Amino acid sequence: MPRKYEMKRRAERMQETRRRIAEAAVGLHQTVGPARTTVSAIAEKAGVQRHTYYAHFPELKDLYRACTAHNLERNPMPDPSRWAEISGPEERLRVALSEIYAYYSRQEAMISNVLRDAALDPILQETMVPIFQHWETVRNVIADAYEASGEQRAALLGAIALAQDFQTWHTLVRHQELSQDRAVELMVGMVRCLMRT
């Protein structure tokens, strides 16, 4: 019995150490970005030695996956499954964009740093594939409320992708200094105009 207890305690300590390292990396990714985050800085912030870091994360992709999981657990992305219950297309778009823009507001530093650094980091790009797939699902759930097919559907998907894009939010809210609600209404109006043509 004591041996089982010791093994359990050891596993718990290892899990806690792994969590601390991932948490430290997430904090650094949010402040300086993945490209400027060093193993030494992560180890120092997590209170571990470099060899302990490498024991838990032998490859960079292991760290990126753990960081992504840790950040998404603490800051879940908007869930499009709830929007499917909203039958009115404009209302679905409005609710979705409001939640998306609120998420961007909360995660602005992290998203900015990750998008900036991913352009030059193939490992980070690979880690982000599920995130991009999630945003495609979001776009499709919004578009499904509209009655559109063929070329109109293709244009609608493009307009929604533009409306839900982080850079669109950043331009409207940060550069143009629109309120979140005003930015949402501007994008709803854009899609409304598209659907009338």
Side-chain angles (χ1 to χ4, degrees), residues 39-58:
V39 171
S40 296
I42 294 170
E44 182 180 335
K45 192 173 175 72
V48 300
Q49 299 295 317
R50 285 172 58 97
H51 67 83
T52 303
Y53 165 90
Y54 284 115
H56 287 275
F57 300 105

mmCIF file of all heavy atoms in Angstrom, residues 39-58:
data_model
loop_
_atom_site.group_PDB
_atom_site.id
_atom_site.type_symbol
_atom_site.label_atom_id
_atom_site.label_comp_id
_atom_site.label_asym_id
_atom_site.label_seq_id
_atom_site.Cartn_x
_atom_site.Cartn_y
_atom_site.Cartn_z
ATOM 1 N N VAL A 39 13.695 28.948 -22.901
ATOM 2 C CA VAL A 39 13.583 27.853 -21.935
ATOM 3 C C VAL A 39 14.017 28.337 -20.559
ATOM 4 O O VAL A 39 13.382 28.036 -19.548
ATOM 5 C CB VAL A 39 14.423 26.634 -22.385
ATOM 6 C CG1 VAL A 39 14.498 25.589 -21.282
ATOM 7 C CG2 VAL A 39 13.849 26.039 -23.660
ATOM 8 N N SER A 40 15.079 29.124 -20.517
ATOM 9 C CA SER A 40 15.574 29.644 -19.230
ATOM 10 C C SER A 40 14.515 30.499 -18.537
ATOM 11 O O SER A 40 14.313 30.383 -17.327
ATOM 12 C CB SER A 40 16.844 30.472 -19.432
ATOM 13 O OG SER A 40 17.876 29.662 -19.930
ATOM 14 N N ALA A 41 13.844 31.343 -19.304
ATOM 15 C CA ALA A 41 12.812 32.207 -18.719
ATOM 16 C C ALA A 41 11.634 31.379 -18.211
ATOM 17 O O ALA A 41 11.088 31.664 -17.123
ATOM 18 C CB ALA A 41 12.338 33.232 -19.751
ATOM 19 N N ILE A 42 11.235 30.362 -18.965
ATOM 20 C CA ILE A 42 10.129 29.495 -18.534
ATOM 21 C C ILE A 42 10.518 28.775 -17.247
ATOM 22 O O ILE A 42 9.753 28.748 -16.277
ATOM 23 C CB ILE A 42 9.758 28.473 -19.630
ATOM 24 C CG1 ILE A 42 9.186 29.166 -20.862
ATOM 25 C CG2 ILE A 42 8.752 27.452 -19.089
ATOM 26 C CD1 ILE A 42 9.026 28.264 -22.072
ATOM 27 N N ALA A 43 11.723 28.185 -17.240
ATOM 28 C CA ALA A 43 12.185 27.430 -16.069
ATOM 29 C C ALA A 43 12.242 28.328 -14.835
ATOM 30 O O ALA A 43 11.785 27.943 -13.758
ATOM 31 C CB ALA A 43 13.547 26.811 -16.356
ATOM 32 N N GLU A 44 12.766 29.532 -15.020
ATOM 33 C CA GLU A 44 12.862 30.470 -13.884
ATOM 34 C C GLU A 44 11.482 30.836 -13.360
ATOM 35 O O GLU A 44 11.232 30.807 -12.157
ATOM 36 C CB GLU A 44 13.625 31.722 -14.311
ATOM 37 C CG GLU A 44 13.812 32.718 -13.180
ATOM 38 C CD GLU A 44 14.565 33.964 -13.624
ATOM 39 O OE1 GLU A 44 15.334 33.902 -14.610
ATOM 40 O OE2 GLU A 44 14.359 35.014 -12.976
ATOM 41 N N LYS A 45 10.577 31.166 -14.268
ATOM 42 C CA LYS A 45 9.218 31.571 -13.865
ATOM 43 C C LYS A 45 8.465 30.411 -13.199
ATOM 44 O O LYS A 45 7.682 30.619 -12.277
ATOM 45 C CB LYS A 45 8.458 32.075 -15.089
ATOM 46 C CG LYS A 45 7.142 32.781 -14.789
ATOM 47 C CD LYS A 45 6.596 33.384 -16.069
ATOM 48 C CE LYS A 45 5.241 34.013 -15.894
ATOM 49 N NZ LYS A 45 5.257 35.266 -15.151
ATOM 50 N N ALA A 46 8.729 29.186 -13.672
ATOM 51 C CA ALA A 46 8.052 28.004 -13.106
ATOM 52 C C ALA A 46 8.736 27.483 -11.847
ATOM 53 O O ALA A 46 8.188 26.620 -11.157
ATOM 54 C CB ALA A 46 8.001 26.893 -14.154
ATOM 55 N N GLY A 47 9.946 27.999 -11.563
ATOM 56 C CA GLY A 47 10.682 27.553 -10.382
ATOM 57 C C GLY A 47 11.264 26.157 -10.533
ATOM 58 O O GLY A 47 11.296 25.385 -9.573
ATOM 59 N N VAL A 48 11.728 25.832 -11.764
ATOM 60 C CA VAL A 48 12.324 24.514 -12.020
ATOM 61 C C VAL A 48 13.667 24.697 -12.725
ATOM 62 O O VAL A 48 13.992 25.784 -13.201
ATOM 63 C CB VAL A 48 11.398 23.617 -12.878
ATOM 64 C CG1 VAL A 48 10.061 23.392 -12.191
ATOM 65 C CG2 VAL A 48 11.194 24.199 -14.284
ATOM 66 N N GLN A 49 14.425 23.615 -12.796
ATOM 67 C CA GLN A 49 15.687 23.615 -13.540
ATOM 68 C C GLN A 49 15.397 23.339 -15.018
ATOM 69 O O GLN A 49 14.367 22.758 -15.361
ATOM 70 C CB GLN A 49 16.622 22.542 -12.976
ATOM 71 C CG GLN A 49 16.984 22.743 -11.523
ATOM 72 C CD GLN A 49 17.787 24.008 -11.306
ATOM 73 O OE1 GLN A 49 18.701 24.319 -12.068
ATOM 74 N NE2 GLN A 49 17.439 24.771 -10.271
ATOM 75 N N ARG A 50 16.337 23.706 -15.868
ATOM 76 C CA ARG A 50 16.176 23.465 -17.312
ATOM 77 C C ARG A 50 15.985 21.985 -17.621
ATOM 78 O O ARG A 50 15.166 21.626 -18.464
ATOM 79 C CB ARG A 50 17.389 24.003 -18.083
ATOM 80 C CG ARG A 50 17.415 25.520 -18.205
ATOM 81 C CD ARG A 50 18.733 25.995 -18.810
ATOM 82 N NE ARG A 50 18.969 25.424 -20.116
ATOM 83 C CZ ARG A 50 18.701 26.030 -21.280
ATOM 84 N NH1 ARG A 50 18.169 27.227 -21.287
ATOM 85 N NH2 ARG A 50 18.961 25.437 -22.421
ATOM 86 N N HIS A 51 16.724 21.118 -16.924
ATOM 87 C CA HIS A 51 16.602 19.681 -17.196
ATOM 88 C C HIS A 51 15.204 19.172 -16.842
ATOM 89 O O HIS A 51 14.684 18.255 -17.469
ATOM 90 C CB HIS A 51 17.699 18.869 -16.480
ATOM 91 C CG HIS A 51 17.593 18.870 -14.989
ATOM 92 N ND1 HIS A 51 16.772 18.013 -14.300
ATOM 93 C CD2 HIS A 51 18.213 19.644 -14.062
ATOM 94 C CE1 HIS A 51 16.885 18.255 -13.006
ATOM 95 N NE2 HIS A 51 17.742 19.241 -12.833
ATOM 96 N N THR A 52 14.561 19.806 -15.836
ATOM 97 C CA THR A 52 13.185 19.434 -15.481
ATOM 98 C C THR A 52 12.236 19.855 -16.598
ATOM 99 O O THR A 52 11.328 19.113 -16.977
ATOM 100 C CB THR A 52 12.771 20.088 -14.153
ATOM 101 O OG1 THR A 52 13.706 19.705 -13.146
ATOM 102 C CG2 THR A 52 11.371 19.680 -13.744
ATOM 103 N N TYR A 53 12.454 21.063 -17.131
ATOM 104 C CA TYR A 53 11.654 21.525 -18.270
ATOM 105 C C TYR A 53 11.746 20.505 -19.409
ATOM 106 O O TYR A 53 10.731 20.065 -19.951
ATOM 107 C CB TYR A 53 12.134 22.903 -18.746
ATOM 108 C CG TYR A 53 11.618 23.262 -20.111
ATOM 109 C CD1 TYR A 53 10.407 23.931 -20.264
ATOM 110 C CD2 TYR A 53 12.306 22.894 -21.275
ATOM 111 C CE1 TYR A 53 9.903 24.229 -21.521
ATOM 112 C CE2 TYR A 53 11.817 23.186 -22.533
ATOM 113 C CZ TYR A 53 10.618 23.853 -22.650
ATOM 114 O OH TYR A 53 10.118 24.134 -23.891
ATOM 115 N N TYR A 54 12.971 20.111 -19.773
ATOM 116 C CA TYR A 54 13.159 19.194 -20.907
ATOM 117 C C TYR A 54 12.604 17.800 -20.619
ATOM 118 O O TYR A 54 12.190 17.094 -21.543
ATOM 119 C CB TYR A 54 14.630 19.117 -21.307
ATOM 120 C CG TYR A 54 15.084 20.327 -22.079
ATOM 121 C CD1 TYR A 54 16.039 21.198 -21.552
ATOM 122 C CD2 TYR A 54 14.559 20.614 -23.334
ATOM 123 C CE1 TYR A 54 16.457 22.320 -22.263
ATOM 124 C CE2 TYR A 54 14.965 21.724 -24.052
ATOM 125 C CZ TYR A 54 15.909 22.571 -23.507
ATOM 126 O OH TYR A 54 16.311 23.687 -24.217
ATOM 127 N N ALA A 55 12.578 17.413 -19.355
ATOM 128 C CA ALA A 55 12.001 16.109 -19.008
ATOM 129 C C ALA A 55 10.502 16.091 -19.308
ATOM 130 O O ALA A 55 9.947 15.065 -19.710
ATOM 131 C CB ALA A 55 12.245 15.803 -17.532
ATOM 132 N N HIS A 56 9.856 17.234 -19.128
ATOM 133 C CA HIS A 56 8.413 17.324 -19.383
ATOM 134 C C HIS A 56 8.097 17.706 -20.826
ATOM 135 O O HIS A 56 7.085 17.276 -21.376
ATOM 136 C CB HIS A 56 7.779 18.347 -18.433
ATOM 137 C CG HIS A 56 7.666 17.867 -17.034
ATOM 138 N ND1 HIS A 56 6.612 17.116 -16.587
ATOM 139 C CD2 HIS A 56 8.507 18.011 -15.975
ATOM 140 C CE1 HIS A 56 6.786 16.823 -15.311
ATOM 141 N NE2 HIS A 56 7.928 17.348 -14.918
ATOM 142 N N PHE A 57 8.963 18.514 -21.429
ATOM 143 C CA PHE A 57 8.708 19.019 -22.787
ATOM 144 C C PHE A 57 9.966 18.858 -23.639
ATOM 145 O O PHE A 57 10.689 19.829 -23.880
ATOM 146 C CB PHE A 57 8.258 20.480 -22.736
ATOM 147 C CG PHE A 57 7.008 20.691 -21.952
ATOM 148 C CD1 PHE A 57 7.047 21.254 -20.677
ATOM 149 C CD2 PHE A 57 5.783 20.299 -22.455
ATOM 150 C CE1 PHE A 57 5.883 21.427 -19.945
ATOM 151 C CE2 PHE A 57 4.609 20.474 -21.729
ATOM 152 C CZ PHE A 57 4.668 21.039 -20.469
ATOM 153 N N PRO A 58 10.236 17.635 -24.093
ATOM 154 C CA PRO A 58 11.455 17.400 -24.870
ATOM 155 C C PRO A 58 11.470 18.131 -26.214
ATOM 156 O O PRO A 58 12.532 18.460 -26.731
ATOM 157 C CB PRO A 58 11.481 15.887 -25.062
ATOM 158 C CG PRO A 58 10.103 15.414 -24.772
ATOM 159 C CD PRO A 58 9.470 16.409 -23.863
#
